[in-house]
Amino acid sequence: MKTLILGAGYAGLAAATKLKPTEGLDVTLIEQNPFHTFETRLHEAAAHNTQVTLPIAPLLRGTGVELELAKVLSVDLDKKEVTTDKGQTLSYDALVIGLGSVTNFYRIPGLAEYASELKRLEDAEEIYAWINKAHLPTYTGSRNIVIGGAGLTGVELATEVAQRTDYLSKQLGTEKLTIYLVEAGPKILPVLEDDLRNKAMKTLLDYDIKVLTGHRVMKATEDTVTIQAEGQEPQVISSGKTIWTGGIQAQDIVKGEKLQRGPANRIVVDATLRIAEYPEVFVVGDMALGKNQEGKPVPTTAQHAGQQGRTTGRNLMRLAKGRELVEYEPTTLGEFVSLGGLMAVGWMKLPWNQKLKLSGGLAHMMKKASEWRWRESIS
C-alpha cells in the first residue's frame, strides 16, 4: 500500500512516528524542511532567538518511513496525484494530508503586504532581527510594534517582546518599544475562563503593553496601522513593525470534485479522519474539520493535531492489515498560555471532568511538561 504523508507538522509527524514497519505498507513523508518546527514556541524564537526545531530524520528511525524533502504544490484527489516543487508527480494508494494552515488576513487592505506573520521559522527570524535593529542608537524609524490578534499567539508574542525590549533598552541605553496588542473581540484569550483571563490581562498591563480590545484593524501601510472601535473615529498608529496573528485558514492546494469544505477552508472528514467521498485519504491537523463528542468542530491546536496524527498512524497499519479502523476521540487535556519568562496561566484536565487552574511558575512548568510529553510521543 503506497502511502504518502504530506507535511511534518504536529499531525503529520505524529502519524509518521506512530508507524512501525508493516508488511504491505510503504510510507513516504514529504516535507520541505529537514526539521520539525514547534509552532507553539515561535514567539520565543521571535523575541529571543530560541531554538524551536527538531531534525526529522532521527525521529523516523525504526518506523519504516522514508523522508522526501520537497514542497507540495498541489493535490488532485480525483487523479490520486501529488505534485511537488521538484517536478515530481507522485501517485498513492493511501494519503495523509497534514499541510497545516496559512495566515488569514481577512482581505484587510495592506495587511498581507505590510504585516509580518508568525507561522514559520523564517518569520520568527525576521521579527527577531527587527527587534534588535530597533534598539540600536542609529535606528530612526518608529519604535512602535503593533500585534493584531489577542489569542494565544498574540498574547504570548507580546509578553516575550516586552521582556526582550526591557533587556535590550537597559543593555544599549535606548528607548523601549511601545507594544500595542489589538483585538477585534471584547476579550483577550477567548479560550480561557474569566479568572485566568483577568490574571493574563494584569500581566500584560504590568508589562506596559497597550491592550486595545474591541478595536478592528482597518488598514495597514508600510509604517502605520489604522484601527477603529465601534461607533468611534478611526485611529492611526505609527508602526515600525506590524505582526498579524488574528486568524488562520487551511491551505487551498487540495482539489477534488466531491470535496467538501467548511469554515476557514477546512476539509470535512468523518470519525476516522477520512474524507467520506475519498476513503483512501486522511486529513489531519489544521486542515481537517472533524467533530468532537458534542458535534462541535475540533479546535486547531497542537494537542489535537498530535492526537489526530497518532490515530491516523494506527489506522494506516490497520488498513494495511485489512482490519477495521478506529475512530478519533478528541480530548482536550488543558490549555496553558505563556506570559513571558517563568509566567503562565492555564488549566489542566482532572478526572470526572474537573479542571485544575494554575498560574505563575507552576503553570509555566505544566506548559513545558506538555512539550516534553509531545517530544516523548514522537521519539
Side-chain angles (χ1 to χ4, degrees):
M1 187 173 74
K2 185 178 180 181
T3 303
L4 302 178
I5 299 176
L6 309 183
Y10 288 102
L13 189 58
T17 55
K18 185 68 178 179
L19 295 172
K20 298 176 181 178
T22 302
E23 185 177 353
L25 185 60
D26 177 15
V27 184
T28 300
L29 172 63
I30 302 177
E31 164 61 40
Q32 61 181 320
N33 298 309
F35 53 82
H36 165 77
T37 300
F38 292 99
E39 284 194 31
T40 55
R41 294 186 59 202
L42 280 173
H43 59 281
E44 298 176 35
H48 308 294
N49 200 28
T50 306
Q51 176 70 33
V52 294
T53 61
L54 279 178
I56 295 172
L59 301 174
L60 298 180
R61 291 173 187 156
T63 63
V65 177
E66 296 292 327
L67 176 62
E68 174 74 27
L69 294 178
K71 180 180 181 179
V72 175
L73 298 180
S74 66
V75 181
D76 189 322
L77 301 183
D78 296 314
K79 294 182 179 180
K80 298 179 69 172
E81 290 180 347
V82 174
T83 59
T84 76
D85 62 348
K86 289 186 174 180
Q88 302 160 301
T89 300
L90 307 173
S91 61
Y92 58 84
D93 299 310
L95 180 67
V96 179
I97 303 174
L99 293 169
S101 57
V102 294
T103 301
N104 189 346
F105 293 101
Y106 298 104
R107 300 181 181 178
I108 298 171
L111 201 58
E113 291 82 5
Y114 298 111
S116 297
E117 307 173 49
L118 193 56
K119 292 290 293 175
R120 306 172 301 155
L121 185 62
E122 294 86 349
D123 300 329
E125 291 171 342
E126 185 263 332
I127 294 168
Y128 177 76
W130 180 85
I131 292 171
N132 288 333
K133 181 180 72 173
H135 286 86
L136 296 176
T138 54
Y139 179 74
T140 58
S142 170
R143 284 192 166 92
N144 292 343
I145 181 168
V146 180
I147 300 172
L152 295 173
T153 302
V155 168
E156 291 183 328
L157 177 61
T159 54
E160 294 291 350
V161 172
Q163 288 211 328
R164 181 65 176 169
T165 190
D166 185 61
Y167 170 79
L168 288 175
S169 66
K170 290 176 181 176
Q171 291 292 310
L172 301 173
T174 52
E175 185 181 348
K176 291 201 300 185
L177 302 177
T178 300
I179 304 168
Y180 291 86
L181 183 61
V182 182
E183 169 57 45
K187 301 176 180 178
I188 66 169
L189 298 171
V191 298
L192 296 183
E193 295 179 7
D194 284 343
D195 52 348
L196 293 174
R197 184 184 298 111
N198 292 338
K199 289 182 179 180
M201 176 64 89
K202 182 181 183 304
T203 301
L204 291 170
L205 298 179
D206 287 345
Y207 280 126
D208 204 25
I209 295 168
K210 300 184 182 303
V211 182
L212 301 174
T213 53
H215 286 72
R216 293 185 176 276
V217 173
M218 307 302 294
K219 183 175 69 172
T221 68
E222 187 175 4
D223 52 11
T224 68
V225 176
T226 301
I227 63 174
Q228 186 174 17
E230 187 174 355
Q232 298 182 15
E233 291 297 313
Q235 175 185 354
V236 180
I237 304 172
S238 67
S239 179
K241 171 59 66 178
T242 303
I243 306 170
W244 180 251
T245 69
I248 60 172
Q249 60 185 359
Q251 289 210 51
D252 190 23
I253 61 175
V254 180
K255 306 299 180 185
E257 289 292 331
K258 297 173 286 184
L259 193 63
Q260 296 185 50
R261 295 184 181 273
N265 211 33
R266 296 165 72 185
I267 297 172
V268 177
V269 295
D270 64 16
T272 63
L273 300 173
R274 293 188 296 178
I275 303 174
E277 296 80 6
Y278 302 93
E280 70 280 3
V281 181
F282 297 83
V283 186
V284 291
D286 289 355
M287 296 189 74
L289 181 59
K291 300 293 181 68
N292 63 16
Q293 290 85 345
E294 289 77 44
K296 297 179 180 179
V298 175
T300 54
T301 66
Q303 63 174 307
H304 292 101
Q307 293 170 14
Q308 291 170 13
R310 288 189 288 275
T311 298
T312 300
R314 191 179 307 121
N315 275 335
L316 287 174
M317 292 185 289
R318 297 178 72 90
L319 197 61
K321 296 174 182 177
R323 299 172 61 185
E324 185 177 352
L325 304 190
V326 297
E327 295 187 354
Y328 165 57
E329 298 181 3
T331 302
T332 302
L333 301 175
E335 195 70 73
F336 288 92
V337 183
S338 171
L339 297 173
L342 301 179
M343 275 295 297
V345 297
W347 61 274
M348 59 181 294
K349 185 178 181 180
L350 296 176
W352 301 291
N353 251 355
Q354 298 298 306
K355 291 182 179 180
L356 175 62
K357 297 179 183 179
L358 301 168
S359 61
L362 189 54
H364 171 79
M365 290 175 60
M366 292 306 301
K367 183 173 176 64
K368 289 297 183 184
S370 66
E371 180 188 324
W372 283 108
R373 283 197 299 271
W374 161 252
R375 287 175 179 257
E376 290 177 358
S377 73
I378 60 176
S379 298

